[in-house]
Amino acid sequence: MTTRATANRNLSIRLASDDADLEAVQALRWQVFFAEMGAEAVTSAASFLDSDPYDPLCDHLLVTDTDDNGDVQVVGTYRLLRESVAMRAGGFYSAGEFDIAALSGGNGELLELGRSCVLPAYRTSATIALLWRGIADYIQRHGIGLMFGCASFPGTDPMAHAPALSWLHHHHLAPAWRRPRVLEGKGVAMDLLERGSYDERRAMFALPPLIKGYLRTGATFGDGAYIDHAFNTVDVCVVMPVEAIADRYAARFSLVG
């Protein structure tokens, strides 16, 4: 466990260890995805929990804040699914949105990152750094060679994000031999605008914070965007080979040396 004290906060990162931890994570996800972002309540409306069949298979990173009275609140989370686990249980969540066959066969195990969310008051560099510290420890412990997963734009109208999606396509596509592709009939092309027809600087600023963070680590992206009506998002597939993580982040998270 890693702990970081910030102004009036005592944040820690660890893996969920029991059913109570998992329920706290699911309650946090409901608050962010459903109450805040407008996802459709499908299977867990009565309990106000975001849960699906993948939850029991995954490890769940959680950031907690412990107050002066010792009360603990889960304020951030990431869901982690290793290839060796996924292949025994029917595959990865992302495979329902993208053809990810090109990601297999490299050095080390695949790790799917998903269901990332943080409470609004904790969307700070300290919280994000703890989540990445936890991911880095997990990578080392399990011999991960490549991370991937879905990252989202809000809403289901891809044209609302046309400059940002086009910029990702024009500048940050994964190499063809390692490029996931949106499943046929379930998404749209990302190059919605031609090069030179939009303001690239504004397109970069318009990217969601999580995608900006992935880009800073050296991430690339799959071809096409998935329209996720249930979660009210437009999803892109992120690809992050561990050996390609930008040097400044590799050093920061002890991935090298």
Side-chain angles (χ1 to χ4, degrees):
M1 180 175 70
T2 300
T3 301
R4 176 172 295 179
T6 60
N8 302 318
R9 289 175 181 161
N10 186 21
L11 302 179
S12 298
I13 185 81
R14 62 180 176 84
L15 290 173
S17 60
D18 55 28
D19 290 342
D21 280 346
L22 178 55
E23 186 168 314
V25 164
Q26 292 169 336
L28 168 63
R29 292 183 345 209
W30 175 276
Q31 184 172 346
V32 173
F33 296 141
F34 291 78
E36 179 184 347
M37 297 177 61
E40 295 180 3
V42 179
T43 60
S44 48
S47 60
F48 299 100
L49 301 176
D50 169 47
S51 62
D52 70 13
Y54 288 88
D55 275 343
L57 308 176
C58 297
D59 288 320
H60 301 265
L61 271 178
L62 50 91
V63 175
T64 61
D65 183 12
T66 304
D67 66 19
D68 293 339
N69 296 320
D71 295 325
V72 179
Q73 180 185 16
V74 176
V75 301
T77 187
Y78 245 113
R79 187 166 80 173
L80 312 176
L81 180 57
R82 301 195 311 278
E83 182 179 22
S84 56
V85 177
M87 293 304 101
R88 294 197 301 267
F92 288 108
Y93 176 90
S94 299
E97 301 186 7
F98 294 89
D99 180 348
I100 58 173
L103 300 179
S104 300
N107 294 325
E109 189 167 9
L110 296 180
L111 176 66
E112 182 181 59
L113 305 178
R115 286 298 203 277
S116 170
C117 63
V118 176
L119 287 178
Y122 291 85
R123 290 170 191 168
T124 64
S125 58
T127 307
I128 302 306
L130 273 179
L131 283 168
W132 278 102
R133 175 67 266 177
I135 290 170
D137 289 344
Y138 195 90
I139 286 170
Q140 292 179 317
R141 188 179 313 130
H142 294 287
I144 303 300
L146 185 145
M147 298 178 286
F148 73 100
C150 297
S152 301
F153 291 80
T156 56
D157 178 7
M159 290 308 299
H161 309 289
L165 289 168
S166 299
W167 185 81
L168 288 177
H169 180 93
H170 293 149
H171 295 283
H172 293 284
L173 274 186
W177 55 272
R178 189 186 257 164
R179 185 181 303 166
R181 299 182 185 278
V182 71
L183 295 177
E184 186 174 355
K186 294 192 175 183
V188 297
M190 290 167 61
D191 55 340
L192 298 168
L193 303 175
E194 294 183 0
R195 284 179 182 263
S197 69
Y198 60 94
D199 186 320
E200 293 198 353
R201 185 174 177 84
R202 289 186 179 180
M204 287 188 287
F205 282 130
L207 292 168
L210 181 61
I211 292 178
K212 290 179 182 176
Y214 286 144
L215 283 169
R216 285 192 288 269
T217 70
T220 56
F221 293 81
D223 191 3
Y226 177 84
I227 312 302
D228 190 338
H229 293 282
F231 273 85
N232 192 34
T233 58
V234 174
D235 296 346
V236 293
C237 191
V238 187
V239 180
M240 291 180 288
V242 170
E243 78 275 5
I245 290 176
D247 289 344
R248 63 187 182 280
Y249 279 85
R252 181 178 178 183
F253 300 122
S254 300
L255 293 176
V256 297

